[in-house]
Amino acid sequence: MKKFSTEKGIVLPLNRANVDTDFIIPKQFLKSIKRTGFGPNLFDEHRYLDKGEPDADNSVRPLNKEFVMNQPRYAGASVLLARENFGCGSSREHAPWALDDYGFRAILAPSFADIFFNNCFKNGLLPIVLDKAVIDDLFVEVEATEGYQLEIDLDAQVVRKPTGEEIPFEVDQFRKHCLLNGLDDIGLTLEDSAAITAFETTWRTKSPWYFTLSN
Amino acid sequence: MSSKTLYDKIWDAHLVTQRDDGTALIYIDRHLIHEVTSPQAFEGLRLAGRKPWRADANFATPDHNIPTTAAERRAGIDGILDPISKIQVTTLDDNCNEFGILEMNMNDIRQGIVHVVGPEQGATLPGMTIVCGDSHTSTHGALGALAHGIGTSEVEHVLATQCLMAKKAKNMLVRVDGELPHGVTAKDIVLAIIGKIGTAGGTGYTIEFGGDAIMALSIEGRMTVCNMAIEAGARAGLIAVDQSTIDYIKGRPFAPKGELWDRAVEAWLGLRSDKDALFDKVVELNAAEIEPQVTWGTSPEMVVSVNGSIPDPAQEQDLSRRESILQALKYMGLKGGSAIKEIKLDTIFIGSCTNSRIEDLRAAAKVVEGKKVAETIELAMVVPGSGLVKKQAEEEGLDKIFIDAGLEWREPGCSMCLAMNADQLGDGKHCASTSNRNFEGRQGFGGRTHLVSPAMAAAAAIHGHFVDVREL
Ligand code: SF4
């Protein structure tokens, strides 16, 4: 997994509650059997005026100038500022893959949907929950100041404003450890192989009916 | 702590290890696989030189992007016109062959939507932990299993380790007591629940649905309710085991047999929350007050009774809610304050893992029998949830009823629920749909979805607009 320690970058304000995974990456792009290449189709239905197709040349598609992401001042953004319940809907990991592929490293929101939140950590993308009032203030500041940047310091667990002011955030300590060190979940779990095998043996004796699926 | 909820019981029974911070390894009994969220996971296994921990815990079927027309299906995988979909379906077949995983492939009569097929085959059993790279895995909770959706990294993790790394959620009880009025269904119950608690109301919780109105539902109806737990923000929804659960499972292909069956039943009947178990949150609804529900917006919580009106944004005091209503109305091409029954419909979709089982099809057929689809409806389709549901429906003559009424009778799959195949809702078209999500673009670019029960969708097909099924 990709490591995360600190990230400083332009902030894109996406002022909309309940952004769902169809909004983040529409279903036609889920047909890919790869993990990469979703960036050009992030927020596809809002970013472009036409309907996107997996094999289309996105560079020639008409852009929706009204969509915030298309404003030149937000080019190259790596921090996403969002509203409540971000990432609701499907379990598609293509959503964090698309955000990551576009270049986002962190997302700030008052709340996230569970599966999406979880999927982010698996992809080196840091979702940060902040109070609604703090998020409200950030929206005001970001929209008022061109080139507004935030620094996310995972080790210190703070978001640093351009003024140097620090906003502390909570993060699960185990997930923090994995992100800071780029640890692979599967490798970690397999260190517990003996415990898994022991559990399985007991469970099979106790509930053999869960082990009856065979071809 | 002696009293436990059903969720506590299943969680505790599957706990392999737990770190001090609460992160646990949970053993997974069943892993369901489909073609969309698995290719990258299998690729990951291959790259790391890993094998599935226990191949026989896995079970696969393609559903999301297979075609649903008989003509395309007849030619097998070669008949899939979309080359990218074809690669995905072929990749699933190849991966299952390579790793020794049981698959009900495209033209196997047992193929279908993974959440319909699992329970139908008896691959879903009470007390199990079940995961799948699909958020509607919550469906299986109807049988007293702990089931939830996972992302592709976790699909790979479960394949490789038979475990999931997780933290325990909180317990929520949604109690629905009282008697459900005639014509009101499981779908209306769950839409009413989401309307009440909101799409983030269950975030961080596992929801247990209880109360006599829930326990009076058939197992299929319970699946409809649990299916949409995720639409209320909860990864898992579950329901206690009772005699209906046991009766439903008995005799299914992968259900235990003989002496093993008796032992299993004894264990399963204990799968209910203790009387004095503590829930972090309790929500109560009175079934008698629930009316047929229709969504008007772009989130399942944007729902009202069929006799209601679309909210008027001007009346909404909360600014961010007002903004959401305005955005939704703009997308839906609807006016605040207008009546639900005035919405003009173009398309009818009866299908999806929410409502494509035999009882759903029977309910819809009953409404359209001997009638004709309104002339203003451009497309009305019925997509059974599995090959076996389709066969059963045909044995009962339901296909004839639908076809005579002017509805299309299709091959099983996800179809227009998410429109990854050719079954797409047209730009700007309004669809009465029995599926679970009305997000922007969900059923097709620019498509406008209204979520309803099968009977309501069928009645809308006949009338060209929504009508109250209780008045038919
Ligand atoms: S029917 Fe719809 S919701 Fe269900 S698994 Fe298929 S795409 Fe997902």
Side-chain angles (χ1 to χ4, degrees):
Chain A
M1 190 174 71
K2 205 158 42 174
K3 279 192 192 182
F4 189 112
S5 49
T6 57
E7 170 65 31
K8 186 171 180 190
I10 298 270
V11 182
L12 176 76
L14 185 61
N15 196 356
R16 195 179 164 107
N18 296 313
V19 167
D20 59 71
T21 51
D22 280 89
F23 188 112
I24 299 172
I25 182 95
K27 84 281 301 190
Q28 62 269 35
F29 304 107
L30 274 52
K31 293 180 190 174
S32 167
I33 56 170
K34 302 204 194 76
R35 269 177 194 262
T36 52
F38 297 103
N41 299 110
L42 174 68
F43 304 137
D44 198 274
E45 289 183 358
H46 292 262
R47 194 165 156 190
Y48 304 98
L49 291 169
D50 63 345
K51 178 172 189 273
E53 292 301 340
D55 41 9
D57 176 1
N58 296 296
S59 63
V60 299
R61 294 175 58 199
L63 290 177
N64 173 8
K65 294 266 167 16
E66 282 176 24
F67 187 54
V68 61
M69 188 184 203
N70 289 326
Q71 295 178 24
R73 58 181 283 199
Y74 297 120
S78 63
V79 176
L80 182 64
L81 182 63
R83 292 290 187 190
E84 293 82 6
N85 201 23
F86 187 85
C88 60
S90 91
S91 64
R92 62 186 70 158
E93 204 155 310
H94 311 68
W97 292 339
L99 287 158
D100 171 67
D101 200 60
Y102 178 83
F104 285 112
R105 299 300 320 276
I107 310 168
L108 315 180
S111 59
F112 292 88
D114 278 342
I115 303 181
F116 174 83
F117 188 75
N118 207 27
N119 284 342
C120 284
F121 284 100
K122 313 275 178 197
N123 293 281
L125 194 63
L126 179 62
I128 298 175
V129 179
L130 295 176
D131 273 353
K132 187 171 178 301
V134 175
I135 294 284
D136 285 345
D137 288 347
L138 284 173
F139 266 99
V140 173
E141 290 176 28
V142 171
E143 284 166 1
T145 324
E146 195 159 336
Y148 190 97
Q149 297 204 1
L150 284 174
E151 182 177 73
I152 317 294
D153 184 338
L154 176 59
D155 196 26
Q157 290 183 222
V158 292
V159 174
R160 245 172 243 119
K161 292 192 182 188
T163 55
E165 187 193 332
E166 295 187 340
I167 310 166
F169 63 87
E170 296 288 323
V171 60
D172 181 287
Q173 290 308 301
F174 176 67
R175 283 171 159 161
K176 175 178 172 180
H177 173 72
C178 291
L179 271 181
L180 285 173
N181 298 291
L183 296 179
D184 155 40
D185 278 359
I186 297 180
L188 279 174
T189 300
L190 288 175
E191 288 175 12
D192 285 326
S193 288
I196 303 172
T197 305
F199 175 91
E200 195 167 50
T201 308
T202 315
W203 189 232
R204 193 188 284 267
T205 312
K206 193 167 173 229
S207 308
W209 41 85
Y210 296 140
F211 292 79
T212 53
L213 190 68
S214 56
N215 213 333
Chain B
M1 225 199 75
S2 54
S3 297
K4 288 181 176 182
T5 65
L6 173 56
Y7 171 49
D8 296 337
K9 290 182 187 181
I10 304 179
W11 174 275
D12 291 351
H14 289 82
L15 195 60
V16 177
T17 61
Q18 183 156 0
R19 287 177 227 277
D20 294 342
D21 69 349
T23 310
L25 270 189
I26 289 294
Y27 188 81
I28 301 301
D29 294 312
R30 181 73 69 238
H31 180 209
L32 306 165
I33 297 171
H34 63 84
E35 79 278 25
V36 178
T37 54
S38 66
Q40 296 88 349
F42 282 115
E43 185 62 18
L45 275 193
R46 251 190 306 270
L47 288 175
R50 292 177 175 133
K51 292 253 165 300
W53 179 278
R54 181 157 83 79
D56 71 352
N58 301 280
F59 170 93
T61 191
D63 53 7
H64 280 61
N65 60 44
I66 53 164
T68 61
T69 58
E72 276 187 89
R73 288 289 269 273
R74 215 171 288 130
I77 288 192
D78 288 335
I80 304 181
L81 296 174
D82 179 342
I84 316 180
S85 294
K86 191 194 284 180
I87 292 175
Q88 230 172 29
V89 176
T90 311
T91 304
L92 180 66
D93 286 359
D94 293 348
N95 282 327
C96 289
N97 284 334
E98 180 182 340
F99 292 106
I101 288 170
L102 173 65
E103 184 194 3
M104 292 171 182
N105 56 23
M106 191 170 87
N107 282 344
D108 187 317
I109 181 103
R110 301 168 299 173
Q111 173 274 337
I113 305 170
V114 67
H115 310 308
V116 174
V117 173
E120 188 172 77
Q121 289 298 320
T124 298
L125 297 172
M128 270 185 164
T129 45
I130 303 176
V131 293
C132 172
D134 187 280
S135 58
H136 292 99
T137 309
S138 57
T139 312
H140 307 263
L143 292 160
L146 175 58
H148 63 74
I150 54 177
T152 297
S153 295
E154 290 174 315
V155 169
E156 185 182 339
H157 190 276
V158 171
L159 278 167
T161 70
Q162 210 54 49
C163 290
L164 195 67
M165 219 182 251
K167 269 195 171 172
K168 196 168 176 226
K170 288 178 283 182
N171 279 291
M172 183 189 293
L173 175 65
V174 175
R175 276 192 76 93
V176 189
D177 283 308
E179 202 177 327
L180 210 55
H182 170 75
V184 181
T185 67
K187 182 66 163 284
D188 303 302
I189 295 184
V190 72
L191 284 171
I193 292 170
I194 296 164
K196 184 171 169 126
I197 71 174
T199 47
T203 304
Y205 292 92
T206 288
I207 298 181
E208 177 172 342
F209 298 98
D212 31 271
I214 296 288
M215 299 318 286
L217 292 173
S218 69
I219 296 301
E220 299 198 352
R222 294 180 196 180
M223 287 189 218
T224 302
V225 172
C226 288
N227 175 272
M228 291 190 73
I230 184 67
E231 259 45 76
R235 286 178 82 168
L238 37 69
I239 295 177
V241 172
D242 65 1
Q243 194 55 41
S244 311
T245 323
I246 306 296
D247 295 345
Y248 175 90
I249 296 163
K250 190 161 192 188
R252 298 200 174 258
F254 297 117
K257 312 262 168 351
E259 180 254 349
L260 217 51
W261 168 257
D262 297 333
R263 278 172 59 201
V265 169
E266 203 189 314
W268 293 342
L269 284 171
L271 290 168
R272 53 182 60 248
S273 291
D274 294 330
K275 274 214 167 55
D276 46 357
L278 279 180
F279 287 87
D280 300 286
K281 191 170 175 181
V282 179
V283 174
E284 292 178 338
L285 274 82
N286 180 355
E289 289 169 4
I290 300 176
E291 298 187 280
Q293 305 282 302
V294 181
T295 67
W296 53 267
T298 53
S299 162
E301 70 186 15
M302 294 173 164
V303 65
V304 291
S305 147
V306 62
N307 297 305
S309 302
I310 297 165
D312 181 355
Q315 309 279 323
E316 178 59 57
Q317 302 300 323
D318 182 291
L319 280 184
S320 84
R321 279 191 55 87
R322 184 188 300 170
E323 185 53 32
S324 296
I325 296 175
L326 284 168
Q327 272 169 359
L329 291 180
K330 182 167 171 229
Y331 180 82
M332 296 296 287
L334 293 171
K335 258 185 61 199
S338 54
I340 288 291
K341 288 178 175 165
E342 284 167 14
I343 300 169
K344 290 200 181 56
L345 297 167
D346 311 286
T347 307
I348 308 293
F349 173 66
I350 298 174
S352 90
C353 57
T354 318
N355 284 125
S356 64
R357 286 167 283 265
I358 191 69
E359 287 176 15
D360 301 315
L361 303 190
R362 285 181 192 140
K366 201 167 147 204
V367 173
V368 303
E369 185 162 21
K371 304 196 175 73
K372 288 275 179 232
V373 169
E375 287 195 350
T376 48
I377 299 290
E378 296 163 5
L379 170 67
M381 61 197 292
V382 185
V383 187
S386 72
L388 289 172
V389 169
K390 179 166 186 265
K391 180 165 169 270
Q392 171 79 28
E394 288 173 354
E395 280 165 13
E396 295 179 19
L398 305 184
D399 56 328
K400 295 236 163 38
I401 295 176
F402 288 124
I403 293 165
D404 288 348
L407 291 100
E408 292 187 18
W409 178 244
R410 298 290 190 93
E411 300 296 313
C414 294
S415 182
M416 203 190 275
C417 172
L418 95 163
M420 267 188 85
N421 66 358
D423 307 339
Q424 310 204 355
L425 179 58
D427 195 353
K429 303 289 182 192
H430 285 269
C431 177
S433 175
T434 65
S435 58
N436 44 46
R437 288 196 173 132
N438 51 352
F439 301 158
E440 289 188 15
R442 168 76 179 183
Q443 292 195 282
F445 184 76
R448 296 159 170 172
T449 302
H450 301 277
L451 304 175
V452 288
S453 73
M456 283 288 291
I462 302 304
H463 295 266
H465 59 85
F466 291 113
V467 292
D468 188 340
V469 284
R470 293 171 301 177
E471 291 162 9
L472 295 181

